[in-house]
Amino acid sequence: MIAMDKWQVARLLEEISRYIELSEPNPFKARAFERAARAVEGLETDLAKLAKSGELTKTSGIGKATGAIIEELLQTGTSKYLEELRAQYPPGIFELLRVPKLGLKKIGILHSELGIGNLDELEAAAREGKLAKLKGFGAKTQEMVLAGIKFARQRESRFLLPTGIEVAESVREQLAGIAGIEDAEIAGSIRRRLEVVQNVNIVIATKSTEKVLAAMQKRGIVEGLESIDERTAKGMTRGDIVVLFHFAAPDDFGTALLRATGSTEFIDAFNTRAAKNGYELREDGLHHNGRHVKTPTEEDAFEKAGLTFVDPERREDGSDLALKKRRKLVELHDLRGTFHVHTTFSDGRNSVLEMLSAARERDFDYVGLSDHSPTASYAGGLSVERLKEQHAEIDSHRETVAPLRVFRGTEADILGDGSIDYDDKTLAKLDFVIASVHSKFNMPKDEMTERILNALDNPYVTFLGHLTGRLLLSREGYTMDYERVFEKAGARGVMIEINGNPNRLDLDWRHVKRALALGVRFSINPDAHSIREYGALLTGTWVARKGGLSPKEIFNTQPVDAIEAYFAARKEAARNADRR
DNA sequence: GCCGTTTTCGGCCCGACTGTTTTCAGTCG
């Protein structure tokens, strides 16, 4: 029998909740299953043991019905109720959620009234004007749906960087056993660590392209693999991800990797500079005054052409080729601690102790907890009383997690007028304050700019959180005058967070250069809502590297004493600040 | 469906926004 863990059980409870919301007028029934899922996730004791003892329903949020379903899931791996719900709807029904502004209620109506169960059917019905006639729908909704379908489709063939890396790694691993392949490396925008990517590029070093290609086809490394020219082959994986293979002789592998990594702009800049030394990158390798030059590694290509090596992340344009020395970019192991960590006090999935223990296991010297503020009620923002309780809990764990040092913070909402969602007295009790926008995203540019500038005037603010507010592949960032924001942040010593959540990667690396020039310092933060999400520090590091940041420009590369002294000094200054 | 209790049904987290309404429902964070 399949042993189900609490996370899998929670996923299935969520699925039930979604189905219920499609058909059930009472929204609280769906919410009850949602709550049960949260309750299961938050369990400190083993779910299977708890079920065995018959005390499941003693957990708040789990009642008679949900308890029985959980037991059934644990015993059989599925639930009759869930199977019945699944049978009532087409399998692709939830793909409709990818259309913005379409929620489960509207999807439920579309299915029951028009039998719509996927994007194609939705598009056909909207084009025929059938949507506008439904109750609760209208002409505008119909238009919005059509625009939304376009939006969803555009994003179909684009995917987030971590997905790209996972797919690319898995394809590369499959190449390992093929005779004749001497080396294989991931290239393209994935190697450049672009936040959203469109295809996978892999460079293969081999002396017998045809033989290798045949072996790859035979093994079914990807679907529909076929050569598109002498040196390139193309296939698909996971349904809709295009994989390009670039073949090169081992002696030309460096040049091939360089060219396949791009960007086009960088390669052009490379060639312009190399030409001055008589060198040229060609499809068939590096050439010096028309004669072939061996470049088994990428470093060889840079060196022979007389150019400074540029890390792949920095190859969006040619600017770093002008540097005399290779840029020293920050690396994950440079980080000594981090901030912006949530716990079960607000919307995190792990307790204070779990998050602290995980930070210690990662060998951090320090970590700063920051749950939401009261206005973020949907995320369980902390009242002043709850904040006090959290402080007491943190204090009770300090010895347990030593030598890890714990800082007490908040991720406080920047309210509509730019004020911070706690009073000064409360803020003064914290070691640090991350100020973030979580509401009223669609303000006009001027208003949003003033709002952020106002927040920067609060002397207790230490960091600006996920400044642009973008959600990759789903939401554009806020409009604001970034120049003015960076200027003021720099002048007031407020750091800007580089939020490493792969859905955000915010600050956008494109802003980093300008912010740095205006005196802004950065902190790489995970915005972790679970232990696993400390992993976002790696993705955050990529953003910093893409922005060209070195360890000294990153706050959390500093030792704990420096951090503590900085917070203390800043708080002291805030207390003394004139705040009329 | 769950919870709590003012023991057997009423409330459940909420505010902004938008479109469809003519006072509200659905979506989003």
Side-chain angles (χ1 to χ4, degrees):
Chain A
M1 196 195 70
I2 340 110
M4 241 190 212
D5 66 20
K6 66 176 183 180
W7 303 104
Q8 291 168 298
V9 170
R11 289 297 87 73
L12 294 173
L13 291 170
E14 281 169 5
E15 192 183 339
I16 293 175
S17 161
R18 286 205 301 269
Y19 278 120
I20 293 171
E21 206 173 339
L22 286 175
S23 55
E24 176 72 44
N26 170 17
F28 298 106
K29 187 169 168 183
R31 205 173 293 171
F33 276 86
E34 191 64 38
R35 253 192 93 192
R38 293 286 89 70
V40 167
E41 283 176 351
L43 284 176
E44 309 253 342
T45 50
D46 184 67
L47 177 62
K49 269 187 208 155
L50 191 66
K52 227 176 202 173
S53 70
E55 296 194 335
L56 258 180
T57 53
K58 285 192 179 164
T59 310
S60 174
I62 301 174
K64 227 170 123 186
T66 50
I69 286 171
I70 292 168
E71 280 181 25
E72 193 187 350
L73 288 172
L74 287 169
Q75 278 164 21
T76 69
T78 185
S79 129
K80 256 193 188 155
Y81 184 45
L82 175 60
E83 294 301 331
E84 280 167 23
L85 289 167
R86 279 177 179 164
Q88 282 174 41
Y89 294 92
I93 189 87
F94 295 126
E95 86 175 31
L96 296 174
L97 282 172
R98 298 216 318 267
V99 179
K101 315 274 169 71
L102 261 198
L104 289 163
K105 278 277 164 286
K106 283 207 167 77
I107 291 170
I109 295 168
L110 290 168
H111 178 256
S112 63
E113 297 298 314
L114 300 173
I116 290 170
N118 61 45
L119 275 181
D120 289 338
E121 288 165 7
L122 178 64
E123 184 170 22
R127 289 205 187 287
E128 288 166 36
K130 286 181 182 166
L131 261 57
K133 292 178 191 142
L134 291 175
K135 198 178 170 216
F137 288 71
K140 281 201 176 171
T141 306
Q142 185 162 280
E143 267 172 50
M144 218 163 56
V145 164
L146 280 171
I149 291 171
K150 208 174 147 198
F151 180 89
R153 288 246 165 84
Q154 270 173 6
R155 278 150 177 76
E156 259 172 17
S157 52
R158 305 176 70 206
F159 41 99
L160 294 181
L161 179 57
T163 310
I165 291 179
E166 191 200 314
V167 172
E169 292 285 3
S170 117
V171 173
R172 196 175 82 107
E173 271 167 30
Q174 292 180 68
L175 296 172
I178 294 179
I181 294 185
E182 299 192 12
D183 202 353
E185 288 291 343
I186 297 161
S189 52
I190 294 177
R191 184 159 180 249
R192 299 201 311 275
R193 303 293 188 240
L194 207 57
E195 63 271 44
V196 173
V197 293
Q198 273 182 308
N199 50 37
V200 172
N201 286 272
I202 294 178
V203 184
I204 294 174
T206 179
K207 286 175 187 151
S208 46
T209 302
E210 277 172 39
K211 229 172 74 189
V212 166
L213 186 59
M216 285 166 62
Q217 282 165 331
K218 198 173 159 201
R219 289 201 186 190
I221 303 268
V222 293
E223 300 134 40
L225 179 64
E226 53 179 24
S227 61
I228 48 178
D229 63 41
E230 229 179 297
R231 293 185 180 80
T232 326
K234 183 181 172 182
M236 298 277 269
T237 191
R238 306 214 183 167
D240 65 343
I241 299 181
V242 174
V243 186
L244 289 160
F245 296 96
H246 309 265
F247 297 94
D251 280 347
D252 296 325
F253 185 65
T255 294
L257 181 59
L258 179 56
R259 283 172 46 99
T261 298
S263 63
T264 311
E265 205 180 328
F266 176 81
I267 298 300
D268 288 348
F270 186 105
N271 269 325
T272 305
R273 285 178 177 272
K276 289 176 191 153
N277 304 327
Y279 285 86
E280 188 193 356
L281 291 173
R282 287 199 209 153
E283 270 188 14
D284 58 342
L286 183 70
H287 286 70
H288 182 234
N289 296 331
R291 283 180 53 195
H292 180 263
V293 181
K294 288 183 182 178
T295 52
T297 71
E298 213 178 35
E299 283 81 358
D300 292 329
F302 279 94
E303 201 184 314
K304 294 212 166 119
L307 299 175
T308 312
F309 186 84
V310 176
D311 284 286
E313 294 94 327
R314 296 288 303 159
R315 298 187 197 165
E316 293 306 322
D317 63 31
S319 56
D320 278 15
L321 284 168
L323 299 175
K324 291 235 157 42
K325 235 180 82 192
R326 178 174 175 178
R327 204 187 266 271
K328 163 84 182 127
L329 299 174
V330 65
E331 294 181 56
L332 183 62
H333 65 73
D334 291 322
L335 305 183
R336 321 247 326 230
T338 196
F339 308 94
H340 203 160
V341 171
H342 295 273
T343 74
T344 46
F345 268 83
S346 66
D347 60 350
R349 290 180 169 192
N350 290 103
S351 67
V352 167
L353 183 58
E354 284 169 338
M355 292 312 280
L356 296 182
S357 304
R360 195 183 56 175
E361 273 160 35
R362 285 186 162 253
D363 278 332
F364 287 155
D365 296 335
Y366 51 89
V367 70
L369 300 186
S370 55
D371 273 309
H372 288 280
S373 63
T375 298
S377 50
Y378 61 87
L382 272 56
S383 64
V384 174
E385 287 69 34
R386 284 284 287 163
L387 194 61
K388 271 184 201 153
E389 285 170 35
Q390 190 184 39
H391 287 179
E393 176 156 354
I394 290 171
D395 290 340
S396 76
H397 296 314
R398 284 190 195 275
E399 274 183 38
T400 319
V401 298
L404 178 80
R405 203 86 67 84
V406 188
F407 294 108
R408 307 188 304 197
T410 177
E411 183 187 15
D413 273 31
I414 299 175
L415 303 178
D417 62 357
S419 59
I420 303 296
D421 196 22
Y422 283 117
D423 57 31
D424 284 3
K425 208 178 123 199
T426 306
L427 294 176
K429 294 199 175 90
L430 300 165
D431 297 312
F432 68 93
V433 175
I434 301 170
S436 307
V437 168
H438 287 123
S439 60
K440 297 189 187 175
F441 303 132
N442 297 323
M443 277 187 168
K445 186 174 176 182
D446 288 351
E447 234 174 284
M448 185 60 98
T449 305
E450 287 308 317
R451 179 183 182 186
I452 308 290
L453 293 178
N454 273 344
L456 287 168
D457 272 329
N458 186 314
Y460 287 102
V461 171
T462 330
F463 306 96
L464 285 178
H466 49 72
L467 180 65
T468 80
R470 70 176 181 175
L471 288 179
L472 296 169
L473 299 182
S474 72
R475 186 179 77 199
E476 299 289 323
Y478 325 129
T479 51
M480 70 181 84
D481 185 338
Y482 285 100
E483 185 78 7
R484 288 181 67 199
V485 170
F486 295 150
E487 209 168 45
K488 187 152 193 177
R492 295 200 59 103
V494 175
M495 290 177 276
I496 296 184
E497 148 183 297
I498 291 177
N499 187 308
N501 180 322
N503 293 299
R504 295 184 179 273
L505 296 182
D506 184 3
L507 196 63
D508 187 335
W509 59 270
R510 294 163 188 83
H511 285 309
V512 167
K513 188 179 173 189
R514 190 63 193 141
L516 187 66
L518 291 169
V520 171
R521 261 205 309 172
F522 304 90
S523 176
I524 299 177
N525 294 342
D527 197 353
H529 288 77
S530 66
I531 290 171
R532 213 165 57 112
E533 289 180 15
Y534 276 123
L537 283 170
L538 179 61
T539 34
T541 306
W542 293 338
V543 174
R545 290 171 64 84
K546 251 190 125 43
L549 293 174
S550 64
K552 65 177 188 300
E553 287 138 1
I554 308 288
F555 182 61
N556 49 329
T557 59
Q558 296 187 72
V560 65
D561 293 340
I563 302 281
E564 193 164 37
Y566 177 84
F567 284 159
R570 212 171 153 76
K571 223 158 79 170
E572 184 60 27
R575 279 202 210 95
N576 297 332
D578 184 7
R579 301 220 53 213
R580 276 169 299 186

